[in-house]
Amino acid sequence: MSEIYKDFAPLDSSKTPRFAEVATFMRTRSIPIDQAGVVDVGIVGVPFDLGTNFRPGSRFGPAGIREASRIIRSVNGHTYVAPFEIARIADLGDTPVHTVLFDESIQIITEYFRAVRENSIRPLSLGGDHTISLPILRGLVQSDPVGMIQFDAHTDTHDSARGSKINHGTPFRRAVEEGLLDPKRVVQIGLRSTISAQNEYDWARSVGMTLITMDDYESMGRTAVIEEARRIVGNGRTYLSFDIDGLDAVYCPGTGVPEPGGFSMRDALVMLRGLRGINFIGGDICEVSPYLDAAGITSMHAANLSFELLCLLAEASRDYAA
């Protein structure tokens, strides 16, 4: 390992057992944001679930994912990417949040990710409900809107829910309206839930988003879906958001709104590996609720998906200027 990255290597399991010490993501070095100027990729927990409108608990997602990540080794066994050998990676801890004040939490999270951007860090964010994508994008996107690849059972482009304009069902509508996302460079993969109205997808399609339902996914095939996602986002700056309920419900019982009929964990892993080379500025894994989980299966899957995203971000930090 190069001396540049040596100080950021995870704990050596031959010296410190995997079950020992405080759980950071993959047992990486812990560095607070105000000391993270040399970090290329930062893991950030966002323990916020005040935007949930059904089953809560994803505020405990960051802790659950970190705990499950203890077993993950440092080299991708399929792409052979070794993220810790090509990027300086650290766990930056959790963003501050207010335990009961929604608007204050959103502002705190936004300001935190502005600091992440100012330090030229590409964040891997562990949620938290899907509301968090909005303040993350507010913090990361300074001028030109970015593209997005979203894996999800739901579009999260509602206009409101019971009078609330910002919640886990609305983040990407707000992000388009605020000029954070370029809708023509947004693709949503895995949509399949029951919906509240026949026109529920109309707004997203009207502004230029590409919606790939599970029926579309099965018709197109996995390889074609990967190619279409790459075509849509192109070479521009891109964000990746993975709602764990994009997986079939058998793979993610520990989530607020599990949906049957989704893609498998194997499909998800292969799709993420097929996105290498895209200029990802950051990404999130959302909606993991450990207290709803069965035998830790959801946290375990989320941790492995997070590792795949870490590999993508490490390569992007190497290949593209921040």
Side-chain angles (χ1 to χ4, degrees), residues 46 48 95-97 102-117 123 125 129-141 166-168 170-172 174-175 178 180 239 284 286:
V46 190
F48 174 88
T95 65
V97 295
F102 183 96
D103 291 343
E104 184 169 337
S105 287
I106 295 297
Q107 185 58 37
I108 291 170
I109 296 168
T110 300
E111 290 172 357
Y112 184 96
F113 280 93
R114 286 195 185 119
V116 168
R117 170 176 52 79
S125 303
D129 73 55
H130 222 156
T131 311
I132 70 168
S133 295
L134 179 60
I136 291 171
L137 287 166
R138 285 175 172 174
L140 293 183
V141 181
I166 299 178
N167 55 74
H168 74 162
T170 68
F172 302 122
R174 298 290 90 83
E178 295 177 19
L180 306 173
Y239 188 76
D284 62 57
C286 288

Side-chain angles (χ1 to χ4, degrees), residues 10-32:
L11 290 176
D12 185 345
S13 61
S14 68
K15 299 176 181 178
T16 306
R18 295 182 186 278
F19 51 80
E21 297 295 341
V22 175
T24 59
F25 186 77
M26 289 182 62
R27 310 200 312 156
T28 58
R29 180 178 174 184
S30 176
I31 300 178

Side-chain angles (χ1 to χ4, degrees), residues 190-212:
L191 307 176
R192 64 186 185 280
S193 69
T194 52
I195 54 180
S196 301
Q198 291 173 321
N199 64 352
E200 188 164 307
Y201 294 166
D202 288 359
W203 181 87
R205 288 180 170 133
S206 73
V207 296
M209 291 184 176
T210 300
L211 277 57
I212 298 178

Side-chain angles (χ1 to χ4, degrees), residues 23-289:
T24 59
F25 186 77
M26 289 182 62
R27 310 200 312 156
T28 58
R29 180 178 174 184
S30 176
I31 300 178
I33 185 63
D34 59 358
Q35 299 174 26
V38 296
V39 173
D40 300 313
V41 180
I43 292 90
V44 182
V46 190
F48 174 88
D49 65 1
L50 298 180
T52 304
N53 60 28
F54 190 40
R55 302 195 300 175
S58 57
R59 65 181 61 184
F60 301 106
I65 296 170
R66 285 185 173 111
E67 188 65 34
S69 74
R70 288 179 181 272
I71 192 61
I72 300 175
R73 297 167 181 83
S74 60
V75 179
N76 192 308
H78 302 270
T79 63
Y80 300 107
V81 174
F84 295 94
E85 296 184 8
I86 58 176
R88 292 166 293 194
I89 299 167
D91 193 319
L92 307 183
D94 289 350
T95 65
V97 295
H98 196 289
T99 54
V100 295
L101 295 181
F102 183 96
D103 291 343
E104 184 169 337
S105 287
I106 295 297
Q107 185 58 37
I108 291 170
I109 296 168
T110 300
E111 290 172 357
Y112 184 96
F113 280 93
R114 286 195 185 119
V116 168
R117 170 176 52 79
E118 289 166 359
N119 280 282
S120 300
I121 298 169
R122 297 174 194 262
L124 167 55
S125 303
L126 312 176
D129 73 55
H130 222 156
T131 311
I132 70 168
S133 295
L134 179 60
I136 291 171
L137 287 166
R138 285 175 172 174
L140 293 183
V141 181
Q142 188 173 19
S143 54
D144 296 333
V146 300
M148 182 178 70
I149 300 175
Q150 175 187 349
F151 296 92
D152 207 324
H154 316 94
T155 66
D156 294 345
T157 56
H158 291 280
D159 185 42
S160 64
R162 300 179 66 86
S164 164
K165 287 284 191 175
I166 299 178
N167 55 74
H168 74 162
T170 68
F172 302 122
R173 187 160 182 157
R174 298 290 90 83
V176 169
E177 292 171 345
E178 295 177 19
L180 306 173
L181 288 177
D182 175 358
K184 293 181 173 57
R185 293 186 57 237
V186 171
V187 55
Q188 301 179 316
I189 302 169
L191 307 176
R192 64 186 185 280
S193 69
T194 52
I195 54 180
S196 301
Q198 291 173 321
N199 64 352
E200 188 164 307
Y201 294 166
D202 288 359
W203 181 87
R205 288 180 170 133
S206 73
V207 296
M209 291 184 176
T210 300
L211 277 57
I212 298 178
T213 68
M214 278 307 299
D215 287 347
D216 297 329
Y217 180 88
E218 290 190 337
S219 297
M220 296 169 65
R222 190 171 63 197
T223 300
V225 169
I226 296 169
E227 291 173 352
E228 179 69 352
R230 296 184 67 93
R231 182 192 68 78
I232 290 166
V233 299
N235 296 321
R237 286 157 42 91
T238 302
Y239 188 76
L240 193 153
S241 187
F242 200 114
D243 187 324
I244 201 68
D245 69 31
L247 296 175
D248 189 282
V250 300
Y251 300 98
C252 57
T255 191
V257 191
E259 301 284 358
F263 41 76
S264 69
M265 185 63 182
R266 170 66 179 168
D267 288 337
L269 292 170
V270 173
M271 283 190 284
L272 289 175
R273 292 167 190 157
L275 301 177
R276 294 178 67 190
I278 292 174
N279 185 9
F280 287 115
I281 64 166
D284 62 57
I285 304 286
C286 288
E287 300 283 358
V288 175
S289 297

